[in-house]
Amino acid sequence: MSIYRTNGFLVSLLEQASRNVTDPDHAEAQTYLNFFRALETSFFASKHPYVDLGLAMSELTRSDGTAPNLYTVHGCQHIFDLIKSLDKLAEEATSTPGTPISPLEAYILLSAAHVHDAQNVVKRKDHADRCYVVIQDHKDLFVPAATQQIYDVARVHGGSHPEYDKDTFRSIEVDGIGPPRLLLLAAMLRLGDELSENEERVPKNVANGHRISDASKLAHAYAKSFSRFELREGSLFLVYSVYPEQHELVVTIKGERMSFYDFLEDKLDEIELETRYCSQYARPDLSIFKIEVTIRRFAAKRPSGAVNSEKFTLHLNHGYPKSAQPLCQRSPQLKAKGFHRLNECFLEKSATVREKRPWWAAWRRSK
């Protein structure tokens, strides 16, 4: 029997609605809760335990002689931690004025958490988009009417889209702004996934028994340093604890020296981008305006005293925005017409076409 069982905020929403016979979602909530418990029991016992094994096998059997990447765990512990992170985000979204998280939304989000990384068991590449395979193979464990919505929320937690690139949320088709709010759920899953780091994600036994890449060493050191996060009134609080093991770590990647602090800075840049991205799609139900970072450095291995503590703030609503793409790529209408510059929209792309216009011929004759 699995030691993992979810009993946080999202599950409590389902339990409360299923017990309250006067709740308008009473009957549906009972169904959602029963299906989720069956899914959770099955996946924690027979699906998630093998995800990390599949990832490790695909990496550790390289034939080119290079040190393999060893990813942080994506199985039982990660799913359990992710749902606790989603509880925090959902509770904050519910505390703001607006529409509470509905039982259907809670069910979709919880189910998406269980399928989002499951295809790592086969390979890492495109695992987000391929999570539909898991839903199809275990269709009896999902409420049939919600499978498309579960897939849509889970598939955009990473990767890229052929048309929208990394802006994968734009590929979700939404019907108005009423429940289920798929963009809000997708934002919570993606952000929660980014913030579900801790020492338990490091596959210690495998890492200690194999030669692994320097990139993996940095990723493991980062996971160990991530202490916790909190979200309160539009502020995201991050706390890192750096011990000598991380403080002294320096590796060489592609000929360039990289310290733990270089990697930490890159990760904070990534968190800032992900927070901006998810927040803009989650508004008005979940808005984050600043990130408060605390980095505590310790003198020796734990337990030990902290040497110092550095605190700083990232204001997400400060700074002038920069456009990464030309105008005609950012506008779906202009992009669909094949324009590269705005003047093409008004001056036409082909001189031959222009010459057929009466005003163009008259203008040419006047010259």
Side-chain angles (χ1 to χ4, degrees):
M1 182 177 178
S2 173
I3 63 173
Y4 298 97
R5 182 176 173 85
T6 304
N7 289 298
F9 178 76
L10 289 166
V11 167
S12 71
L13 294 180
L14 296 178
E15 291 176 335
Q16 290 169 13
S18 65
R19 288 195 300 264
N20 184 1
V21 295
T22 64
D23 192 299
D25 297 315
H26 167 68
E28 290 83 358
Q30 285 184 316
T31 300
Y32 300 146
L33 181 61
N34 291 337
F35 267 88
F36 173 69
R37 286 304 190 194
L39 171 67
E40 177 182 59
T41 300
S42 175
F43 273 36
F44 273 139
S46 60
K47 177 62 67 175
H48 300 318
Y50 302 101
V51 171
D52 294 319
L53 178 62
L55 265 179
M57 288 178 61
S58 65
E59 286 296 318
L60 295 175
T61 54
R62 285 185 176 182
S63 58
D64 59 4
T66 59
N69 287 321
L70 184 60
Y71 296 103
T72 51
V73 300
H74 291 73
C76 291
Q77 186 64 49
H78 174 55
I79 302 303
F80 187 71
D81 292 336
L82 170 58
I83 291 177
K84 289 195 294 184
S85 297
L86 295 177
D87 285 333
K88 290 183 181 181
L89 298 177
E91 194 164 8
E92 176 66 17
T94 300
S95 69
T96 59
T99 307
I101 302 294
S102 71
L104 174 57
E105 290 172 333
Y107 170 72
I108 292 172
L109 189 54
L110 287 166
S111 300
H114 273 279
V115 304
H116 85 290
D117 269 347
Q119 278 301 97
N120 275 304
V121 71
V122 179
K123 61 179 179 179
R124 179 71 176 162
K125 186 178 180 182
D126 298 329
H127 73 279
D129 188 63
R130 288 184 287 104
C131 68
Y132 71 88
V133 176
V134 181
I135 301 174
Q136 291 178 347
D137 290 348
H138 301 273
K139 60 183 179 180
D140 293 341
L141 294 175
F142 298 91
V143 175
T147 53
Q148 182 64 51
Q149 295 161 330
I150 294 168
Y151 172 62
D152 283 339
V153 170
R155 69 179 171 82
V156 296
H157 81 273
S160 61
H161 185 270
E163 183 176 359
Y164 305 122
D165 196 33
K166 289 188 175 182
D167 188 7
T168 53
F169 287 4
R170 285 178 63 189
S171 67
I172 296 180
E173 294 186 10
V174 293
D175 300 322
I177 58 174
R181 293 161 291 181
L182 297 184
L183 292 176
L184 171 63
L185 303 182
M188 288 197 288
L189 180 66
R190 184 163 176 152
L191 185 57
D193 197 32
E194 186 68 37
L195 298 174
S196 296
E197 294 283 359
N198 55 57
E199 189 167 1
E200 296 300 319
R201 291 205 71 185
V202 180
K204 300 182 184 67
N205 292 335
V206 182
N208 293 338
H210 295 82
R211 183 172 64 97
I212 63 174
S213 70
D214 286 341
S216 292
K217 294 176 183 177
L218 289 171
H220 296 175
Y222 173 79
K224 291 179 180 179
S225 72
F226 195 104
S227 294
R228 68 181 186 275
F229 85 90
E230 298 293 337
L231 183 60
R232 296 192 299 271
E233 298 179 350
S235 294
L236 174 62
F237 296 87
L238 305 176
V239 179
Y240 295 89
S241 298
V242 180
Y243 290 88
E245 178 185 0
Q246 293 92 36
H247 178 72
E248 299 166 4
L249 179 61
V250 179
V251 301
T252 301
I253 297 180
K254 296 181 179 180
E256 296 290 332
R257 174 187 177 278
M258 192 170 195
S259 71
F260 164 77
Y261 293 103
D262 293 325
F263 188 82
L264 175 59
E265 183 172 349
D266 289 345
K267 289 297 294 184
L268 287 172
D269 286 342
E270 184 177 345
I271 289 176
E272 180 183 4
L273 289 174
E274 288 293 320
T275 304
R276 288 179 184 271
Y277 179 63
C278 293
S279 185
Q280 73 184 24
Y281 279 101
R283 295 190 186 109
D285 303 285
L286 187 65
S287 297
I288 303 174
F289 303 104
K290 62 181 178 179
I291 302 175
E292 302 280 3
V293 182
T294 300
I295 301 175
R296 300 182 299 172
R297 189 165 69 86
F298 290 80
K301 293 182 179 180
R302 69 183 66 182
S304 63
V307 176
N308 54 37
S309 182
E310 189 75 34
K311 296 184 178 182
F312 55 91
T313 303
L314 298 171
H315 293 276
L316 305 188
N317 56 346
H318 288 189
Y320 195 83
K322 298 179 181 178
S323 58
Q325 293 179 312
L327 174 66
C328 290
Q329 290 297 307
R330 303 199 308 276
S331 167
Q333 293 84 0
L334 296 176
K335 184 177 180 181
K337 293 180 179 179
F339 293 132
H340 297 285
R341 298 287 297 176
L342 188 60
N343 69 326
E344 295 176 356
C345 180
F346 297 97
L347 299 181
E348 301 289 352
K349 291 182 290 183
S350 169
T352 303
V353 173
R354 289 199 299 267
E355 289 171 357
K356 293 180 180 179
R357 302 289 177 88
W359 63 266
W360 176 265
W363 182 82
R364 291 290 293 176
R365 285 196 298 271
S366 70
K367 297 296 182 181

